[in-house]
Amino acid sequence: MDTYRIMIVDDDPHICEIVQLYCQREGFDSSSCHNGADAMMLLASFNPDLIVLDVLLANENGIDWCKNARNYTNAPIVFLSSQEEDEVKISALSYGGDDYVTKPFSPGVLMAKIKAHLRRISSGRREQLLELPGLTLDFYAQSVHMGSRTIFLSKKEFSLLSYMAQNVNQVVTVDKLFHLIWGMKSLEDTRTVAVHISNLRKKIEDDPIHPERIITVRGAGYMLVAGKR
């Protein structure tokens, strides 16, 4: 069984140390940072299974960070905050948080909540992977694994890629992609899809100028080609 990765984001290094100590006791791999900018980089490099997040970060609101992070991950986010007001809790849970623990806190209770969330996500986790030659999509983490690399995609980029992956080696029309992702007819404006495909190629192609994974089928659409390693 893989070791769970817990990411802690708190401007108080002492809190990070305590949570990491308890994570270590539970056999979890953990990593921490203290501000929102570092947290976004850690999110991409660490690929956490769960995030413990403070509401008050240095120069940033943790709830705003959570809202932005939801474009890149579906990992459970447990808020850990000294703010006890109901409106703060409601906002935190409304903008992507899965749980809310107030400080001062019991490390034992926090660990119990973390394990409960991990149990929930572990069931069916395997079904959330779509494996193709050289490319594995993780629907839970909204990421793509290519060899030893993990690449995080925006929500729309992942939606485009996942739909093409479910129709691998088949041409998907631009109109179909536009309708599926944006929920409306393209009205023959294909530029929006083209821009997102271009961004996607920059992330998953060895040579985005000469793509081999997502190819353009002139006059028809795009096709994800399986087999490229």
Side-chain angles (χ1 to χ4, degrees):
M1 180 178 176
D2 294 337
T3 301
Y4 287 115
R5 296 178 298 274
I6 311 300
M7 172 175 154
I8 303 112
V9 188
D10 198 302
D11 62 351
D12 185 341
H14 182 59
I15 295 293
C16 292
E17 289 178 10
I18 292 174
V19 178
Q20 283 195 275
L21 175 62
Y22 277 81
C23 284
Q24 184 178 0
R25 290 180 179 178
E26 296 292 341
F28 301 149
D29 186 11
S30 65
S31 187
S32 66
C33 57
H34 311 299
N35 61 65
D38 288 346
M40 289 308 294
M41 290 190 287
L42 186 60
L43 177 65
S45 62
F46 189 58
N47 190 21
D49 295 298
L50 183 143
I51 301 167
V52 178
L53 175 65
D54 191 6
V55 169
L56 297 177
L57 304 176
N59 302 321
E60 187 169 357
N61 186 301
I63 297 175
D64 291 338
W65 186 91
C66 174
K67 186 178 179 181
N68 184 34
R70 278 295 176 233
N71 291 314
Y72 304 97
T73 182
N74 291 318
I77 296 178
V78 178
F79 277 94
L80 182 61
S81 173
S82 58
Q83 294 196 299
E84 299 181 341
E85 299 84 354
D86 284 348
E87 55 267 31
V88 176
K89 295 178 182 177
I90 292 169
S91 180
L93 297 174
S94 299
Y95 286 107
D98 296 273
D99 210 335
Y100 197 104
V101 178
T102 55
K103 301 174 184 174
F105 66 103
S106 162
V109 171
L110 177 62
M111 284 299 113
K113 286 178 174 288
I114 288 175
K115 287 190 285 187
H117 285 290
L118 292 176
R119 280 196 303 272
R120 176 173 58 81
I121 65 171
S122 66
S123 59
R125 179 71 182 268
R126 187 69 185 171
E127 287 71 18
Q128 294 174 344
L129 297 178
L130 177 58
E131 297 182 6
L132 300 173
L135 195 74
T136 299
L137 279 73
D138 186 335
F139 287 81
Y140 180 78
Q142 202 171 294
S143 61
V144 178
H145 304 285
M146 299 172 59
S148 60
R149 288 195 300 151
T150 298
I151 301 168
F152 284 92
L153 305 176
S154 72
K155 183 172 290 185
K156 284 188 168 50
E157 289 167 354
F158 189 83
S159 296
L160 286 170
L161 183 61
S162 63
Y163 184 77
M164 287 190 288
Q166 293 171 68
N167 296 275
V168 67
N169 294 332
Q170 300 178 42
V171 177
V172 182
T173 67
V174 174
D175 285 341
K176 182 70 173 179
L177 289 173
F178 194 99
H179 184 262
L180 282 169
I181 308 305
W182 283 270
M184 62 184 77
K185 293 182 178 179
S186 68
L187 301 177
E188 299 182 352
D189 182 1
T190 61
R191 291 171 296 181
T192 302
V193 173
V195 168
H196 283 77
I197 290 291
S198 175
N199 292 335
L200 194 50
R201 283 170 169 160
K202 292 174 184 175
K203 295 182 178 180
I204 69 169
E205 296 280 2
D206 295 332
D207 180 1
I209 304 299
H210 304 94
E212 296 183 5
R213 294 183 190 278
I214 302 176
I215 63 172
T216 301
V217 180
R218 190 175 298 277
Y222 298 97
M223 180 167 64
L224 178 67
V225 179
K228 174 70 172 70
R229 294 180 183 276

